[in-house]
Amino acid sequence: MRTSAGLLLFRHTDDGLEVLLGHMGGPFFARRDAGAWTVPKGEYEPDSEPAWDAARREFQEELGLPPPDREAVPLGEVRQTNGKVVTAWAIEADLDPATVVPGVFSMEWPPKSGQMREFPELDRVEWFGLDRARTVIVKAQDAFLDRLAEHSA
């Protein structure tokens, strides 16, 4: 079973609760909006690393910024349609998306071309109100939004 861990930043604004999501980089998501946004997260091996440590490491790798050193709200786990189990924590913090320097990954593109290309892990990062976030986030991860809303009520 594949596992990922991540941190969902949130902030309170005059317009209500907002969350920071990342748009998945690479050619598969380039023209997609719905279902192409995610909690900044990444894979880890549960036998080798605690989920909390992985979430903090992956935040740094995905966004190029240190994770906020603040109280974290456990949001639990969800199982995505691809079978991956994602564990997340929410942290109240403000972050300017313009300061993000995303990590990169390599893949053969176009397929079977023999050409390796680099793509950003997240090609953009934005703040969303909860209603809008629900329309773009990976479907299973909307449970994290519900849990955060319950915590913040």
Side-chain angles (χ1 to χ4, degrees):
M1 172 177 51
R2 293 176 31 216
T3 54
S4 280
L7 300 179
L8 177 63
L9 296 192
F10 69 97
R11 66 184 183 184
H12 295 276
T13 70
D14 292 341
D15 295 326
L17 192 61
E18 293 184 341
V19 293
L20 187 76
L21 300 177
H23 185 271
M24 291 182 274
F28 299 120
F29 299 99
R31 290 182 168 74
R32 288 183 53 194
D33 199 39
W37 292 81
T38 183
V39 171
K41 62 171 181 46
E43 291 190 12
Y44 73 102
E45 294 295 329
D47 295 340
S48 305
E49 180 179 28
W52 171 247
D53 292 347
R56 293 180 56 76
R57 175 183 51 77
E58 286 293 337
F59 185 93
Q60 175 86 40
E61 289 178 13
E62 297 272 320
L63 302 180
L65 300 168
D69 189 21
R70 298 204 174 128
E71 179 183 350
V73 177
L75 298 177
E77 295 180 346
V78 298
R79 182 180 299 274
Q80 298 182 161
T81 55
N82 63 4
K84 183 186 290 184
V85 174
V86 179
T87 305
W89 288 264
I91 297 178
E92 186 169 6
D94 202 354
L95 181 148
D96 179 355
T99 62
V100 170
V101 181
V104 296
F105 69 95
S106 297
M107 68 179 286
E108 183 180 15
W109 191 259
K112 300 180 183 176
S113 67
Q115 298 176 21
M116 294 301 288
R117 295 196 35 207
E118 283 192 342
F119 298 95
E121 296 274 355
L122 301 172
D123 58 22
R124 60 191 185 275
V125 175
E126 294 180 23
W127 287 101
F128 291 92
L130 290 184
D131 289 342
R132 174 77 174 119
R134 288 180 209 292
T135 68
V136 298
I137 198 167
V138 171
K139 192 63 188 152
Q141 293 180 24
D142 63 0
F144 294 143
L145 303 178
D146 294 339
R147 294 169 193 166
L148 176 60
E150 288 173 18
H151 170 77
S152 298

